[in-house]
Amino acid sequence: MTNVSLHSQTLEWIKNQVPCLDDLYDQVLSLAPDFISSRFPPASPVPVAVPCFHDTLHTLAQARYALLEAHSHGISYRNKGGWKDEMTAVWMERFYVDDVAFRLYSAGEHLANAIICMMEISHSDLLPFKSKNISTQAAVGQYLLKKKPLLPVAQAIASLARSSAWAEAIEYRNELVHEQPPSVHGLGIVYKRSKRWQRSPDGNTFELSIGAGDKPDFDTQQVIKLMTTALELLIGALKACLAYYEDRLRQAGFTSSQRA
């Protein structure tokens, strides 16, 4: 974490609030695409899944780091006690937790590409599930549910897709990118992108409220909790995909000591 002044016990508490990736580093980074390629035909995409897994893990690690920073900056500024420090705490939390949302979406896309490679899903296979505005991860999820619903990896991806937390995290990211960013409590008056005149309850006149602004969508603690849950879910999906990939490698004749 960056240079914020926090007690060691507080730092330990923060680390315990965020999912750990330690058990994945050796498992993922020991995979070497060049060595794995020796057991597959030249045109096989199966070894290409390896750098996709690497990218997924690195991006999840960045998301985890951003969560740590959201916690640490929030606590550090609130410890100072002033109202300006409270606003700064919220601003910093918002900055880092928005970064988590971006990186979770990116990690989901990397993982989807790993699935495409390791399962040798062709462009024509995926085409019926693609539309102009759909993400690769959504298309892959639909393909698995339709074509291979009994596979454990398909069930893991289905569980991710059905999760309300994952859907909310992706929607939060989509609004950041494509719509007005979700507003958070604690950063002053916020205004929605809406017309200010509102029809009166009797429907006969219009009313205009001045100076009050609009109710914020979230407080930052809600968003931090949401992104933490979404990170946990995506880590679980990655583990399921790695189990499938390792089985694929065993079928190709590799042992655990022969993959790097």
Side-chain angles (χ1 to χ4, degrees):
M1 287 177 273
T2 53
N3 240 349
V4 292
S5 179
L6 294 173
H7 192 277
S8 59
Q9 289 181 332
T10 303
L11 293 172
E12 189 63 28
W13 178 87
I14 291 171
K15 289 180 181 179
N16 290 334
Q17 305 311 302
V18 180
C20 183
L21 295 169
D22 289 352
D23 60 335
L24 285 169
Y25 282 103
D26 286 344
Q27 184 180 8
V28 174
L29 299 182
S30 64
L31 297 170
D34 44 4
F35 190 75
I36 289 172
S37 294
S38 66
R39 295 290 183 93
F40 289 91
S44 174
V46 175
V48 184
V50 172
C52 296
F53 282 129
H54 287 190
D55 294 338
T56 304
L57 178 62
H58 291 317
T59 308
L60 289 176
Q62 292 160 4
R64 180 180 183 273
Y65 175 79
L67 275 175
L68 292 170
E69 290 297 309
H71 281 291
S72 63
H73 280 81
I75 293 171
S76 179
Y77 280 99
R78 285 190 180 91
N79 283 346
K80 297 179 182 180
W83 70 266
K84 289 185 178 179
D85 295 313
E86 171 63 24
M87 184 173 285
T88 302
V90 172
W91 192 95
M92 297 297 289
E93 287 171 334
R94 173 67 187 266
F95 175 83
Y96 283 109
V97 83
D98 283 1
D99 187 81
V100 178
F102 294 133
R103 294 186 191 276
L104 286 177
Y105 183 92
S106 177
E109 291 294 285
H110 298 323
L111 187 58
N113 280 285
I115 293 170
I116 290 171
C117 292
M118 74 179 184
M119 299 185 72
E120 301 182 90
I121 302 171
S122 68
H123 176 73
S124 59
D125 290 335
L126 210 56
L127 194 58
F129 305 95
K130 293 279 287 183
S131 66
K132 184 177 180 181
N133 297 318
I134 198 170
S135 64
T136 300
Q137 57 193 287
V140 169
Q142 291 180 23
Y143 168 84
L144 290 175
L145 291 176
K146 184 71 174 179
K147 298 296 185 180
K148 302 179 184 292
L150 299 181
L151 287 179
V153 65
Q155 294 169 11
I157 297 301
S159 178
L160 177 68
R162 286 194 296 262
S163 164
S164 60
W166 180 255
E168 289 174 27
I170 295 302
E171 180 60 25
Y172 184 94
R173 174 267 174 193
N174 290 343
E175 290 185 11
L176 284 174
V177 175
H178 302 295
E179 306 291 342
Q180 181 180 17
S183 55
V184 297
H185 176 76
L187 293 177
I189 296 175
V190 297
Y191 294 100
K192 299 293 181 65
R193 297 178 185 176
S194 60
K195 295 175 182 177
R196 308 316 300 176
W197 285 100
Q198 299 294 320
R199 191 174 291 275
S200 63
D202 61 16
N204 296 323
T205 60
F206 286 89
E207 299 175 344
L208 179 63
S209 176
I210 297 177
D214 295 309
K215 183 180 178 180
D217 298 310
F218 298 97
D219 65 54
T220 47
Q221 293 305 309
Q222 289 176 305
V223 187
I224 289 171
K225 182 178 179 180
L226 173 64
M227 295 303 163
T228 301
T229 302
L231 176 58
E232 291 170 342
L233 291 165
L234 193 53
I235 291 170
L238 171 59
K239 290 179 177 179
C241 291
L242 287 169
Y244 178 94
Y245 193 63
E246 290 183 343
D247 186 58
R248 189 82 165 81
L249 296 182
R250 281 192 292 270
Q251 292 174 18
F254 285 102
T255 66
S256 59
S257 61
Q258 296 176 322
R259 299 169 190 175

